[in-house]
Amino acid sequence: MERSALQALAQKDFMSRDELESIQLKRLKNIVSHAYKNQALFRSRMQEKGLDDTCIKELKDIQKLPFFKKVDLRDTYPFGLLCVPMENIIRLQASSGTTGSPIVIAYTKEDVACWQEATMRALMIAGIGSGDILQNAYGYGLFTGGMGLHYGAEGLGVTVLPISSGNTERQIKLMSDFGVTAISCTPSYFLHIIEKAKQLGYDFKKMKLRHGIFGAEPWTNEMRQRIEQESGIKAWDIYGLTEISGPGVAMDCPARTGLHMFEDLFYPEVIDPETGEALPDGTEGELVITTLNKFGMPMIRYRTRDISVIVKGTCECGRTIRRIKRIDHRNDDMLIIRGVNVFPSQIEAALLTIPGVQPHYHIIVRRHGDLDTLEVQVELSAELFGDTIRSIEVIQKKIGNAIKSIIGLAVTVTPVEP
Amino acid sequence: METVKQLSLFLENKPGNVYGICSTLGEAGVNIYTLTLADTAQFGILRMIVEDSEAAKALLEKAGYVVNIADVLAVRIDNQPGRLAQVADILNKEEINVEYVYAFANRHIFLYRVSDTEKAYSKLVSNGFCVLSSQELFNTNK
Ligand SMILES: [Zn+2]
């Protein structure tokens, strides 16, 4: 793509709110009408509410529309939500989800282009472009991470190394040999790369790596700090989910006050997860996204199960597209222990405050009568182990205290072999 | 200073763990001169003396174990009343903590892991104790 065309693309993040909202309204009307005409499930849900495809007069009319949930994708598996003839579909991607039954997302040529536009814009915010070498260590295949970043980077003229995930030693060798400047993978995998690189005697300061594009799992600020301290690179948070398109739905900016959502493509709302009521910007709730420009399998008011906030006010970076607060936990990850809400990400954050501890853990909840107890099994590294029982007990206590100070509950810490 | 390199392995309390370690070493032809197991309700530490500790460590790490190497003092202590107390007294006077101590198999040799290895070594030697090098230790046991 021409330099001027790329600049114009990046400028979309800075358009006036009036212009943006008029694009959003036009696209929303269009997608609602498209889904109403072509998808039985949406049409019947609309009719139940006494609505038809002319119900959108202004943007906030979106609040009248029914929600989509992950279960709808499962119930209509594989192609029940398709809104175009199968011959117009040029790509299928799938995610297994945690319960095992897969979900399938179908893309038209335009949908793939829309997704590519989003990942290009995301990478441009991080300043990645022609001249960079991106080691794309997201998994390639049915999972959207690999393909998503690949197309985005290629669109920008970045040199892409499609290495996929796994084989950490080779990842590090090529990173060093090729002078890789940016890597994309899950943040926890990058922590693993750091650990392994240390063992193998590599020095990140001597490498050209400058940027990490991390996503596909909720992660904390503590993890970001740890990554940046130990590798010296800048860790960018990229948000996305298969159901919406893949990575590149929202992206960190240099101000680090939230992730900008590419609002002209993906319309964000936050709702009360109990009542489904739309909440004003600045209030925490479940993130709901509508794909404004996706036709193969549009998602209208898709409930992401991710807890976030639409950040109020404009960002100091000047982008007018709204931000969502970084997502560090999923709604369905929450445990309730003795009446206290506990998220695995809090345990991870606590572990990361202790030098030498890796955020590799299991949480085991047991019920003794009416009392829930929480056991956290933490992998013990040689560095932490020392060689005495006392040294292990000191670490157990440190970890226990760190967790207690964050979640407010005493836990049993059990050291385990990696 | 003469010290002996000891392997320390972190173990979860699960059946077959010690067997797994011993057979990993046995299959590779590594002779275990002595070992001792310390455990709590949650986990254990297996400590052992082998001839080539670095090679054994690499082997065990490859098999997935958490392994460290620690310097211990191999002290020859005659089979006489009061001799062990004498060692304890020397270390105590120097405020050196004994982290743990165990006997070498079938010999009057005790392995000491202390808070200050160098100081303990010189005090024991100056008090007439024989502190063995690893070469001496393995040669006298072959
Ligand atoms: Zn910004």
Side-chain angles (χ1 to χ4, degrees):
Chain A
M1 210 185 258
E2 296 270 335
R3 210 189 146 93
S4 57
L6 288 178
Q7 270 166 358
L9 197 56
Q11 277 308 310
K12 286 191 179 182
D13 300 352
F14 295 89
M15 69 176 109
S16 75
R17 290 297 307 177
D18 283 348
E19 191 187 346
L20 176 63
E21 282 168 18
S22 85
I23 292 172
Q24 287 174 325
L25 181 59
K26 198 174 115 215
R27 288 184 171 170
L28 180 64
K29 283 179 179 172
N30 189 27
I31 205 76
V32 166
S33 157
H34 173 67
Y36 189 87
K37 289 192 179 96
N38 296 297
Q39 193 195 89
L41 182 66
F42 183 63
R43 191 165 50 244
S44 71
R45 284 187 181 167
M46 288 286 277
Q47 284 163 350
E48 273 169 35
K49 286 178 169 266
L51 298 169
D52 65 23
D53 61 341
T54 62
C55 70
I56 303 288
K57 305 285 183 230
E58 50 182 339
L59 269 178
K60 81 171 200 288
D61 290 333
I62 196 173
Q63 294 174 11
K64 300 178 192 163
L65 303 178
F67 293 110
F68 269 94
K69 289 183 175 177
K70 196 165 198 165
V71 66
D72 298 322
L73 286 154
R74 296 224 167 89
D75 291 350
T76 57
Y77 174 87
F79 300 131
L81 297 182
L82 216 59
C83 293
V84 299
M86 195 64 195
E87 68 252 33
N88 291 1
I89 296 298
I90 64 156
R91 175 96 65 82
L92 297 170
Q93 306 260 185
S95 104
S96 65
T98 43
T99 58
S101 46
I103 60 160
V104 183
I105 300 293
Y107 305 72
T108 64
K109 195 171 177 199
E110 294 72 26
D111 296 345
V112 169
C114 166
W115 181 18
Q116 182 183 27
E117 176 188 324
T119 45
M120 284 168 71
R121 286 164 69 178
L123 290 169
M124 278 195 284
I125 298 182
I128 293 172
S130 173
D132 277 301
I133 303 178
L134 176 78
Q135 180 160 347
N136 189 13
Y138 280 115
Y140 278 71
L142 290 177
F143 169 63
T144 52
M147 297 293 263
L149 265 294
H150 183 101
Y151 274 60
E154 210 169 74
L156 293 173
V158 170
T159 309
V160 185
L161 179 60
I163 192 166
S164 198
S165 54
N167 197 342
T168 310
E169 284 193 27
R170 190 181 60 179
Q171 298 268 0
I172 298 162
K173 179 175 163 45
L174 298 192
M175 185 189 293
S176 173
D177 293 353
F178 294 0
V180 165
T181 59
I183 186 167
S184 44
C185 60
T186 63
S188 54
Y189 186 58
F190 190 68
L191 271 182
H192 179 65
I193 289 179
I194 292 177
E195 216 184 324
K196 192 83 196 173
K198 266 196 236 162
Q199 277 175 22
L200 296 172
Y202 284 89
D203 182 358
F204 272 98
K205 289 190 196 78
K206 292 192 182 131
M207 292 202 213
K208 291 200 172 142
L209 194 69
R210 295 291 168 270
H211 299 286
I213 308 295
F214 301 126
E217 66 190 14
W219 56 304
T220 56
N221 285 325
E222 285 79 1
M223 196 143 162
R224 163 130 84 184
Q225 272 171 15
R226 177 84 164 259
I227 287 173
E228 295 193 334
Q229 272 165 15
E230 296 198 1
S231 68
I233 70 165
K234 229 175 156 64
W236 300 85
D237 190 357
I238 190 167
Y239 174 74
L241 59 172
T242 304
E243 300 92 309
I244 297 304
S245 65
V249 172
M251 176 70 182
D252 237 351
C253 81
R256 293 195 166 177
T257 49
L259 276 60
H260 290 282
M261 189 169 293
F262 301 107
E263 266 193 85
D264 48 322
L265 308 174
F266 312 110
Y267 188 82
E269 294 174 87
V270 164
I271 62 159
D272 180 328
E274 303 294 324
T275 63
E277 183 199 350
L279 297 171
D281 289 2
T283 312
E284 186 176 87
E286 182 178 344
L287 184 63
V288 170
I289 301 174
T290 299
T291 57
L292 294 176
N293 206 22
K294 211 178 130 200
F295 297 91
M297 229 185 226
M299 283 293 138
I300 293 171
R301 301 198 90 196
Y302 182 73
R303 294 186 59 157
T304 63
R305 303 171 322 284
D306 286 326
I307 297 299
S308 189
V309 178
I310 296 178
V311 180
K312 270 178 148 174
T314 46
C315 182
E316 62 184 70
C317 77
R319 286 182 180 79
T320 49
I321 50 175
R322 281 179 294 172
R323 289 158 290 164
I324 54 168
K325 192 178 139 257
R326 290 190 65 208
I327 287 152
D328 55 17
H329 58 257
R330 286 234 148 99
N331 201 16
D332 44 5
D333 283 343
M334 190 174 81
L335 304 166
I336 302 175
I337 311 292
R338 282 172 261 160
V340 178
N341 296 349
V342 176
F343 293 96
S345 58
Q346 294 175 303
I347 306 282
E348 176 198 290
L351 294 178
L352 284 164
T353 61
I354 302 164
V357 175
Q358 293 302 324
H360 305 155
Y361 58 92
H362 279 115
I363 296 173
I364 294 158
V365 183
R366 287 192 186 85
R367 171 152 285 182
H368 299 288
D370 284 335
L371 193 66
D372 294 325
T373 62
L374 200 59
E375 178 188 347
V376 180
Q377 295 184 341
V378 187
E379 280 182 14
L380 195 69
S381 64
E383 177 191 352
L384 286 174
F385 154 48
D387 90 312
T388 61
I389 287 179
R390 188 163 45 84
S391 66
I392 297 174
E393 284 172 346
V394 167
I395 280 293
Q396 275 181 299
K397 204 164 170 184
K398 256 194 205 169
I399 294 172
N401 288 341
I403 294 173
K404 193 175 175 195
S405 75
I406 289 184
I407 67 170
L409 289 174
V411 300
T412 307
V413 177
T414 309
V416 296
E417 293 165 17
Chain B
M1 180 176 59
E2 301 293 356
T3 60
V4 173
K5 303 280 179 205
Q6 170 202 263
L7 292 178
S8 307
L9 283 92
F10 169 76
L11 292 183
E12 280 171 38
N13 279 350
K14 59 184 183 201
N17 231 335
V18 175
Y19 168 77
I21 291 162
C22 294
S23 65
T24 301
L25 293 175
E27 280 158 22
V30 177
N31 188 16
I32 301 169
Y33 282 79
T34 189
L35 64 76
T36 175
L37 179 67
D39 66 341
T40 72
Q42 286 178 312
F43 59 86
I45 297 174
L46 184 69
R47 302 181 176 112
M48 59 170 80
I49 304 290
V50 300
E51 212 157 328
D52 188 347
S53 50
E54 287 294 343
K57 179 175 186 260
L59 195 70
L60 290 166
E61 277 175 346
K62 214 173 158 203
Y65 295 101
V66 181
V67 191
N68 272 341
I69 288 183
D71 283 320
V72 294
L73 295 169
V75 188
R76 193 190 297 280
I77 301 175
D78 308 333
N79 194 11
Q80 282 171 20
R83 290 290 274 169
L84 269 166
Q86 200 186 342
V87 173
D89 187 46
I90 291 165
L91 298 176
N92 199 21
K93 276 194 186 125
E94 297 297 327
E95 295 184 347
I96 298 166
N97 291 323
V98 176
E99 309 277 2
Y100 49 84
V101 58
Y102 57 103
F104 202 82
N106 293 327
R107 310 273 314 177
H108 302 305
I109 294 167
F110 289 81
L111 296 159
Y112 282 84
R113 171 81 163 132
V114 294
S115 56
D116 187 338
T117 311
E118 202 154 351
K119 199 166 167 193
Y121 175 79
S122 66
K123 288 293 160 191
L124 289 168
V125 170
S126 65
N127 278 280
F129 282 94
C130 172
V131 183
L132 281 71
S133 69
S134 31
Q135 215 177 6
E136 291 165 317
L137 185 71
F138 297 125
N139 283 340
T140 52
N141 276 279
K142 268 180 179 158

